[in-house]
Each structure stands twice: as structure tokens, then as C-alpha cells.
């Protein structure tokens, strides 16, 4: 081990990691946990007992014997505990319940009018979580469903001050600036509510479901808006206030530089986001109403839409090249609705290789986020699960 390995290594075998190994099936016994963590059997036993006492792990009958007494198997409880999760987007919200291993139990998509303001939108989404928990087969398994809810994780499509759960200067969210999401929710439910921005939740969800073995990763979320989440030394990196990874107002080369909602011009978001592509196409006289329409045009090989998608991909690649040179991740993955847009992805990749140091791209994986539409609620659930485990 080198000194550089120390921060991640200090986490090895912590309660969260023990729980995760059991949840993912990597470990089914104390002996497995001891082997994976390198911790002594007595330390593992102590931590496992604490997790069992908190209801986060359970013992389920006997496993296979390797001679002598048959070991008891460990499992994440499938009855009696769920977390609620909300991934709020510009026009839709994904709402779900997940078990303590981070597996989606129920999920649905609701239409949302963000301009109705935070009270109306969040009030309706919290009510939906309560309804889902009431219907939840996992939550109902051990009696009262309401008691089963351990916490709610909420993703917001704008900057969130992490310590307070307050929204700060979001684009395209009129009436939400300064709104204290955590306090509003705390007044309506009596479980912990954790708020973060949607790109961070996508990063966490994607990292936990694929490549959790890699310590350094950058996830770009390219949908109506554009942002990114950073995994550093195996953990979500938020920086001092929670704005780490917010690349939306980084300036890119664009002529003419389109005006941005922030008051500047030439921001990445004003050039490469889904909203920017809609605006640019309309400016060229193409009657397109939303991102779905833009993606359809690109899929149909429309010349103007494809050229704009390539330009957007170059802009994302330019910013990402700075990030990759600076941060040296092992994987860069792109998610969100624009991730399926082939011309954008191709020019992003080309720009990245052109602008990065060879050492930074030698083994760099450049991928699509594979986790699908539940990646945000999966990240939201993991935030809560980590909180519950830390509190234990
Ligand atoms: Zn801007």
C-alpha cells in the first residue's frame, strides 16, 4: 500500500462497506466479510452485531458447512424497512421506494410543473412517497408500513447547498431560489430527509450499480440542463458548499455566444443543454417544442439538429477535458436524455481525446451511464441508507 491509498483504505471494512458487501451478494457470512475487509473476525462480529441490532442486517438460517458447525447466513432484511426516493426533473419526477440494499421495490413517473413552485410540487411528491410506502409489500411485511420508512432522499435539478438543503440560484426553477427543501419536508414527515442535486444523485446511483470498484469517476448528466457529479476516493465529492461538479456555467468557445439564464453568455448550459438545443433550433426556424422533438430530429438525421448536437458534444468535451486533466478519473460516464444522442457522444469523445494529456486518457473509460431511469432514485436511496448506517 502506498500513502496515496490511505484515505480509501481507512474506509475499508466500515459498517457501510460491510452492509454493501452483503447487499450486493459479495459476502454472505462473517467469514466472507473478514476476508474482504482484512479485519479480524472479532472486529467483523462486533460491527455485524451493531448492524443487526439496528435492523440493517439479519441472519437467515444456516449456510453451507465447510466442516463443523454450519455458519449462519447474513442478509439485508427484505421485510420491514424501506427508503423513499424522489428524482425531480424539469417536467417529470421519478418517485420510488427501495429496500435497504438499494433495490427498487416500486417506482412511478409523475408529470410535474416546476413553475407551480416548491410547496405545491414537493407537497405532491411527498404525498406520493407516503402512498407508495402504504402500498409497499416490503414495508408492509412486518406490520405497519408507516413505521417502515427510514428516510427520504430528494434530488433537485439545480444547485443545492448541502449542509442546509437549500436551493441556491437555480436556472429554470422560478420561485425556488433560496427555498429550504429540507426544512419544508421536515415539517411534513418525521423521518430524515436528505436533499442533493440531481447530477450528484445520478453519480452516486451509477457508481454504486456499476464500477463501485473504481475510486475516481465523473458522471455528466445531460438532459434539459447539464451538470456533473464527482466520485473521489470512492465517495461523492461535494466540495465546501455542495457545488462541486457544477459545470453548467463554465464558459465554452461559441460564436455567437448565446445568452445564459445566469446573466453571462457562452455558458456550457447555454450551448449544450437540451434546453439550449431547443432554443437554437427554434432560432433557425425549426418548429420544435421540447427535447423529445430535438432527439427525434437527430435520430431522423436532420442536418440542422445533427450539426447542433455535434457542436454541443464538442462543448461538453472541451469542459470535460479540463476536468479530466485536472482530476484524472478512471471513468467518465454520460447519462441523461442526451446520452443516447450518438453525434453528441462521438464529438464529445473526439474532443476529449484531442484535448487531454495522454497519461490521463491512457486507461480512461468513456461510457454511457447504464443504470436506466431509476439511477437517480437509486442514488437518492443510497444517500439515505448511508445516513441510516452512519447513525447506527
Ligand atoms: Zn450561465
Amino acid at each position: 500500500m502506498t500513502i496515496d491509498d490511505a484515505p480509501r483504505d481507512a474506509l475499508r471494512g466500515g459498517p457501510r462497506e460491510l452492509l454493501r458487501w452483503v447487499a450486493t451478494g459479495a459476502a454472505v457470512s462473517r467469514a466472507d466479510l473478514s476476508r474482504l475487509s482484512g479485519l479480524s473476525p472479532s472486529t467483523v462480529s462486533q460491527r455485524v452485531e451493531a448492524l443487526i441490532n439496528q435492523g440493517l442486517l439479519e441472519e437467515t438460517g444456516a449456510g453451507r458447512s465447510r466442516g463443523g458447525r454450519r455458519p449462519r447466513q447474513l442478509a439485508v432484511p427484505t421485510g420491514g424497512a424501506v427508503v423513499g426516493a424522489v428524482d425531480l426533473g424539469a417536467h417529470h419526477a421519478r418517485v420510488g421506494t427501495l429496500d435497504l440494499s438499494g433495490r427498487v421495490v416500486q417506482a412511478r413517473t409523475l408529470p410535474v410543473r416546476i413553475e407551480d413552485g416548491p410547496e405545491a410540487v414537493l407537497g405532491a411528491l411527498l404525498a406520493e412517497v407516503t402512498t407508495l410506502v402504504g402500498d409497499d409489500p416490503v414495508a408492509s411485511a412486518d406490520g405497519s408500513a408507516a413505521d417502515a420508512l427510514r428516510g427520504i432522499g430528494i434530488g433537485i435539478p439545480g444547485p443545492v447547498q448541502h449542509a442546509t438543503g437549500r436551493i441556491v440560484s437555480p436556472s429554470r426553477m422560478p420561485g425556488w431560489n433560496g427555498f429550504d427543501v429540507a426544512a419544508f419536508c421536515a415539517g411534513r414527515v418525521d423521518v430524515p430527509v436528505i436533499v442533493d442535486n440531481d447530477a450528484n444523485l445520478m453519480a452516486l446511483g451509477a457508481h454504486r450499480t456499476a464500477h463501485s470498484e473504481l475510486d475516481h469517476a465523473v458522471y455528466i448528466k445531460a438532459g434539459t440542463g447539464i451538470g456533473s457529479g464527482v466520485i473521489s476516493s470512492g465517495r461523492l465529492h461535494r466540495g465546501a458548499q455542495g457545488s462541486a461538479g457544477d459545470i453548467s456555467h463554465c464558459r465554452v468557445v461559441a460564436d455567437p455566444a448565446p445568452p445564459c439564464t445566469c446573466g453571462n453568455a457562452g455558458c456550457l448550459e447555454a450551448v449544450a443543454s437540451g434546453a439550449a438545443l431547443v432554443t437554437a433550433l427554434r432560432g433557425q426556424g425549426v418548429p420544435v417544442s421540447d427535447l423529445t422533438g430535438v432527439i427525434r430530429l437527430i435520430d431522423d438525421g436532420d442536418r440542422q439538429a445533427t450539426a447542433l448536437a455535434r457542436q454541443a458534444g464538442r462543448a461538453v468535451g472541451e469542459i470535460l477535458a479540463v476536468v479530466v486533466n485536472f482530476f484524472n478519473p478512471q471513468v467518465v460516464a454520460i447519462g441523461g436524455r442526451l446520452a443516447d444522442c450518438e453525434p453528441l457522444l462521438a464529438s464529445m469523445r473526439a474532443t476529449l481525446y484531442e484535448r487531454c494529456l495522454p497519461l490521463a486518457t491512457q486507461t480512461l473509460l468513456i461510457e454511457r451511464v447504464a443504470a436506466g431511469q431509476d439511477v437517480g432514485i437509486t442514488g437518492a436511496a443510497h444517500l439515505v441508507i448511508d445516513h441510516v448506517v452512519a447513525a447506527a
Side-chain angles (χ1 to χ4, degrees):
M1 188 186 88
T2 65
I3 288 171
D4 285 337
D5 295 330
R8 182 75 197 272
D9 209 64
L11 300 171
R12 203 136 276 170
R16 288 175 211 204
E17 194 159 34
L18 299 186
L19 185 63
R20 201 169 306 136
W21 277 325
V22 176
T24 56
V28 296
S29 66
R30 289 171 175 76
D32 292 340
L33 290 174
S34 184
R35 176 174 48 77
L36 287 167
S37 64
L39 294 170
S40 72
S42 63
T43 306
V44 167
S45 274
Q46 250 171 26
R47 291 184 183 175
V48 166
E49 286 314 314
L51 289 167
I52 289 173
N53 290 336
Q54 290 292 325
L56 298 170
L57 275 183
E58 65 182 9
E59 289 185 296
T60 61
R64 261 182 310 134
S65 170
R66 296 193 181 98
R69 196 157 56 90
R70 290 202 294 173
R72 307 257 287 156
Q73 280 199 312
L74 295 171
V76 171
T78 49
V82 291
V83 296
V86 173
D87 183 19
L88 178 59
H91 307 292
H92 296 95
R94 188 82 175 153
V95 181
T97 51
L98 296 89
D99 68 19
L100 290 179
S101 70
R103 189 180 59 86
V104 177
V105 182
Q106 301 191 92
R108 38 182 97 134
T109 300
L110 307 176
V112 160
R113 282 166 42 91
I114 211 97
E115 61 274 22
D116 288 346
E119 283 98 348
V121 170
L122 292 170
L125 294 175
L126 286 177
E128 186 63 26
V129 171
T130 309
T131 306
L132 280 182
V133 172
D135 296 345
D136 194 304
V138 170
S140 311
D142 268 9
S144 162
D147 293 343
L149 185 63
R150 297 300 185 92
I152 301 174
I154 300 181
I156 301 286
V160 175
Q161 186 178 40
H162 182 65
T164 60
R166 201 181 276 278
I167 300 176
V168 184
S169 303
S171 308
R172 292 182 306 276
M173 294 178 77
W176 290 70
N177 184 28
F179 192 77
D180 191 335
V181 177
F184 175 83
C185 296
R188 278 159 183 75
V189 291
D190 40 344
V191 292
V193 175
I194 305 179
V195 187
D196 211 324
N197 80 70
D198 59 345
N200 277 354
L201 295 192
M202 191 195 83
L204 191 61
H207 184 252
R208 293 283 171 88
T209 46
H211 293 315
S212 63
E213 79 287 2
L214 300 181
D215 284 351
H216 310 295
V218 174
Y219 296 91
I220 307 286
K221 182 166 185 189
T224 303
I226 195 158
S228 81
V230 178
I231 301 288
S232 176
S233 299
R235 315 177 78 159
L236 191 58
H237 175 75
R238 294 193 180 86
Q241 291 285 332
S243 74
D246 193 339
I247 53 173
S248 41
H249 302 287
C250 291
R251 189 174 181 139
V252 294
V253 179
D255 185 25
C260 180
T261 51
C262 72
N264 288 323
C267 297
L268 182 63
E269 177 153 307
V271 174
S273 67
L277 294 182
V278 173
T279 306
L281 275 171
R282 280 192 195 149
Q284 295 179 11
V286 180
V288 66
S289 59
D290 55 14
L291 183 52
T292 306
V294 175
I295 291 171
R296 197 175 303 131
L297 284 174
I298 294 168
D299 287 345
D300 289 346
D302 177 85
R303 190 177 48 80
Q304 283 159 295
T306 305
L308 282 169
R310 287 212 184 92
Q311 187 191 342
R314 270 194 300 277
V316 176
E318 271 176 36
I319 300 299
L320 207 44
V322 176
V323 171
V324 166
N325 283 334
F326 179 80
F327 178 63
N328 189 198
Q330 291 152 306
V331 57
V332 166
I334 180 164
R337 296 182 61 203
L338 283 173
D340 291 328
C341 174
E342 203 51 58
L344 186 147
L345 213 64
S347 60
M348 179 193 93
R349 188 185 286 267
T351 308
L352 203 49
Y353 280 119
E354 187 184 307
R355 299 286 177 86
C356 283
L357 293 171
L359 187 58
T361 51
Q362 226 166 44
T363 59
L364 177 69
L365 301 170
I366 304 173
E367 302 182 339
R368 282 197 183 92
V369 168
Q373 66 173 343
D374 288 334
V375 66
I377 58 171
T378 302
H382 276 287
L383 270 190
V384 176
I385 294 165
D386 284 356
H387 174 84
V388 169
V389 174

